């Protein structure tokens, strides 16, 4: 995709105009995707070789129909992912975003990730658009299942739900074809319409409605800074493209912001 964004390859020399933007910003919004956790050892979804969707069919593992047809396989895949997350840790990118909280008047962190790494790194009030893999809900009523109850019924099969005789426990994540939590989405759009700088980190920008959040920010006059080793579907919108991984650019950007505020 062609881009008009100014691309930086190394954080050693910040252009004066970007430093000025950082100096001016008060409300920063951040949209993160799978790429921010890639260096924590969690595979992204769309990498051609290592991505989850290169190896697994999303409709089998991440849709209500897939769960209805084969709940055990879906459950085991989520148990595997939960274990992978439990065995790994937030990285310098997550930590830098947690540090950003103390540096700007307002920070809204919106994530498509379900791993909980932003909170583990110390970020508060994270808007989780696609849910959280560590929680479970009833597959019929959608009610949250108590974490302690889940621990007692943990295993290789989804346990029957305590909330409904025909229900099973399932992860509290948004599957294909399901609606996002409207209050979380609304809060993300409100931040997009009010922020003066938006960081877009580690997302391919190919899943809606998340991908329209930066579009709204741009429409309302925010400066868009993308951090990604590759071009994404949002690159054409960005004012600045910081080419490289989150662990390289986020600490550098937060250091710079700390120096200018
Ligand atoms: P994708 O897997 O689609 O995209 C990951 C992005 O991260 C790509 O643009 C990579 O270039 C970039 N990337 C890789 N390594 C990186 C690094 N070290 N630092 C920064 N960026 C890096 O993941 P998402 O865009 O998050 O939804 O996917 C969106 C949604 O699609 C997910 O939340 C999930 C999936 O289906 C649901 O499960 C509902």
């Amino acid at each position: 995709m062609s881009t008009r964004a100014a691309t930086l390859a190394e954080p050693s020399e910040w252009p004066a105009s970007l430093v000025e933007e950082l100096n001016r910003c008060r409300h920063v919004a951040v949209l993160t995707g799978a790429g921010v956790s890639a260096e924590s050892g969690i595979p992204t979804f769309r990498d051609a070789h290592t991505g989850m969707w290169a190896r697994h069919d999303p409709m089998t593992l991440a849709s209500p129909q897939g769960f209805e047809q084969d709940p055990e396989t879906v459950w085991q895949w989520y148990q595997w992912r939960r274990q992978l997350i439990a065995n790994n840790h937030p990285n310098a990118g997550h930590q830098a975003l947690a540090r950003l909280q103390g540096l700007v008047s307002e920070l809204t962190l919106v994530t498509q990730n379900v791993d909980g790494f932003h909170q583990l790194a110390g970020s508060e009030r994270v808007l989780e658009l696609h849910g959280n893999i560590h929680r479970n809900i009833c597959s019929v009523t959608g009610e949250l299942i108590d974490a302690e109850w889940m621990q007692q019924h943990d295993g290789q099969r989804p346990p029957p739900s305590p909330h409904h005789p025909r229900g099973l426990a399932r992860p509290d994540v948004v599957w294909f074809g399901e609606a996002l939590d409207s209050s979380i989405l609304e809060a993300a759009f409100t931040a997009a319409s009010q922020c003066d700088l938006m960081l877009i980190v580690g997302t391919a920008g190919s899943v809606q409605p998340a991908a329209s959040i930066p579009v709204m920010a741009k429409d309302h006059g925010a400066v868009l800074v993308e951090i990604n080793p590759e071009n994404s579907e949002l690159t054409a919108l960005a004012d600045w493209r910081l080419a490289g991984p989150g662990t390289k650019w986020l600490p550098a950007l937060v250091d710079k912001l700390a120096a200018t505020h």
Side-chain angles (χ1 to χ4, degrees):
M1 180 177 284
S2 67
T3 172
R4 285 175 296 122
T7 301
L8 306 192
E10 286 302 327
S12 48
E13 283 186 20
W14 292 89
S17 49
L18 177 53
V19 174
E20 215 172 278
E21 308 278 16
L22 296 178
N23 196 17
R24 257 205 307 261
C25 68
R26 296 287 171 267
H27 182 174
V28 176
V30 185
L31 174 67
T32 66
V36 81
S37 294
E39 290 161 279
S40 290
I42 312 299
T44 64
F45 292 96
R46 292 179 182 76
D47 182 276
H49 303 291
T50 61
M52 306 263 195
W53 299 156
R55 291 175 293 147
H56 306 283
D57 172 17
M59 293 316 281
T60 305
L61 295 176
S63 77
Q65 297 84 346
F67 186 67
E68 208 170 298
Q69 274 163 23
D70 188 352
E72 218 169 293
T73 299
V74 174
W75 182 257
Q76 282 167 13
W77 187 63
Y78 278 93
Q79 292 290 73
W80 169 76
R81 284 179 62 196
R82 285 168 168 160
Q83 200 52 55
L84 185 68
I85 292 162
N87 291 342
N88 286 289
H89 310 280
N91 62 48
H94 299 105
Q95 281 153 8
L97 287 174
R99 194 151 60 88
L100 188 55
Q101 286 169 142
L103 296 174
V104 290
S105 314
E106 201 173 344
L107 177 73
T108 309
L109 177 48
V110 184
T111 188
Q112 296 166 86
N113 298 347
V114 297
D115 55 31
F117 277 170
H118 285 305
Q119 294 91 324
L120 213 52
S123 285
E124 290 158 14
R125 291 186 302 109
V126 180
L127 297 175
E128 294 180 307
L129 292 174
H130 294 161
N132 188 302
I133 199 169
H134 304 297
R135 292 190 303 257
N136 290 281
I137 53 173
C138 169
S139 63
V140 173
T141 68
E143 278 167 278
L144 200 60
I145 299 179
D146 182 62
E148 227 170 88
W149 185 94
M150 274 311 305
Q151 262 179 4
Q152 287 156 13
H153 297 79
D154 204 18
Q156 286 304 302
R157 272 188 210 140
S161 164
H163 297 303
H164 194 281
R166 278 184 292 107
L168 294 174
R170 56 156 278 190
D172 186 10
V173 299
V174 176
W175 280 336
F176 287 100
E178 293 183 325
L180 277 63
D181 181 309
S182 57
S183 60
I184 293 178
L185 187 60
E186 202 175 303
F189 278 128
T190 301
S193 68
Q194 293 175 352
C195 68
D196 37 34
L197 186 102
M198 177 171 274
L199 299 177
I200 308 162
V201 190
T203 180
S206 57
V207 170
Q208 293 295 354
S212 58
I213 294 169
V215 178
M216 177 171 279
K218 182 84 180 179
D219 285 349
H220 283 78
V223 172
L224 263 47
V225 178
E226 179 174 55
I227 297 180
N228 199 315
E230 311 288 339
N231 280 343
S232 77
E233 293 193 27
L234 296 168
T235 304
L237 276 187
D239 298 286
W240 297 93
R241 186 172 121 66
L242 310 183
T247 51
K248 166 169 151 178
W249 279 107
L250 283 168
L253 186 128
V254 172
D255 281 350
K256 197 72 202 170
L257 211 130
T260 60
H261 269 60

